[in-house]
Amino acid sequence: MRTAIIIPARYGSTRLPGKALLKSTGKYLIQHVYERACLARRARYVIVATDDPRIAAAVESFGGNCVMTRNDHTSGTDRIAEVAQDLDVDLIVNLQGDEPEVDPDALDLLPEMLDRDSDADVATLATPIANADDWHNPNHVKVVCDAQGRALYFSRSPIPFVRDDRPNFGARPARFLRHVGLYAYRREFLLHLAEMPPSPLEQAEKLEQLRWLDQGVRIQLGVVRHAPCGVDTLEEYESFVRRLRRHPLARAAA
């Protein structure tokens, strides 16, 4: 299926304003993300979606493809939906603009999952949880799925709850999964997302995926070995710079 990767990027990040334009490595942060996306074999288009002319100028300076969007969007999903309206594609991959170490193979896996499951409207990823601290951390969203690999529920709480024993984080296949915030949408579904009203579960957990499940949307879940390290703070950016200097990025297997 024809696939586009759209990277929503804004300047006004709460914890690290202007992070898309950080350049300690000699490349903009948004350039690292864009170049990783371009390594995905399934992508017909890679597009940065932004409402900020500074980010647009940076993308154009390294030869990237950028589309200016309205400045009143409340989420990155709304921003990519605006761009998707004018694209002749079947699937849209939503890649956040602060994921410079994203695995291109994971970006290819998302549309492949929708190819295999014609009834699913969304595909997303998870990675095995290795320890109790991550399982209990409310900032790490957990997910459980059914025997067909479709998501049953997402939560900030530790799920599934183990009543009679201790969690076995080394079990295979993995039962304790941390959600990885990468998505692929069927284009028509993405264009109708804004029409879905917020659900009580979504409002309680502050997780948009629960709105979709509440509406009966089928979400196909893929499991990868590692989650990319996103950049939300200056400390995380500096850690990325140190890692990059030690080990230049290469294509990794999902």
Side-chain angles (χ1 to χ4, degrees), residues 6 45 47 67-68 80-89 92 187 191:
I6 303 180
Y45 306 107
I47 301 168
V67 173
M68 292 292 292
I80 69 169
E82 180 186 343
V83 177
Q85 288 177 343
D86 298 321
L87 293 180
D88 182 22
V89 296
I92 305 291
R187 178 179 175 274
L191 297 182

Side-chain angles (χ1 to χ4, degrees), residues 98-251:
D98 56 8
E99 298 281 1
E101 296 172 284
V102 66
D103 184 353
D105 289 342
L107 298 176
D108 282 328
L109 176 60
L110 288 163
E112 289 170 6
M113 290 158 55
L114 291 180
D115 279 349
R116 295 195 298 263
D117 188 347
S118 60
D119 292 327
D121 290 312
V122 184
T124 191
L125 301 175
T127 189
I129 293 174
N131 57 70
D133 287 342
D134 287 346
W135 190 48
H136 285 284
N137 187 339
N139 295 317
H140 294 175
V141 177
K142 276 70 68 176
V143 58
V144 291
C145 62
D146 66 15
Q148 286 72 47
R150 290 179 179 164
L152 292 171
Y153 193 70
F154 297 84
S155 182
R156 298 185 184 279
S157 296
I159 57 172
F161 178 76
V162 181
R163 192 187 70 171
D164 296 326
D165 202 351
R166 294 182 178 180
N168 180 4
F169 296 112
R172 293 292 179 270
R175 294 173 53 213
F176 304 93
L177 298 171
R178 175 185 171 186
H179 182 227
V180 177
L182 295 171
Y183 297 96
Y185 311 94
R186 298 195 191 276
R187 178 179 175 274
E188 294 306 314
F189 171 77
L190 174 63
L191 297 182
H192 288 94
L193 270 181
E195 300 173 5
M196 290 185 177
S199 72
L201 288 173
E202 173 195 8
Q203 293 171 328
E205 297 239 27
K206 299 298 186 287
L207 296 175
E208 185 182 21
Q209 315 93 296
L210 297 179
R211 180 190 312 189
W212 312 339
L213 290 179
D214 191 57
Q215 294 290 323
V217 173
R218 295 181 175 92
I219 303 175
Q220 185 62 239
L221 188 74
V223 178
V224 295
R225 286 181 294 182
H226 304 288
C229 297
V231 174
D232 287 320
T233 65
L234 182 59
E235 291 76 14
E236 289 172 347
Y237 178 71
E238 291 171 343
S239 294
F240 161 66
V241 173
R242 290 193 294 270
R243 288 193 299 273
L244 187 68
R245 287 173 177 165
R246 291 195 302 267
H247 304 291
L249 290 170
R251 188 182 184 103

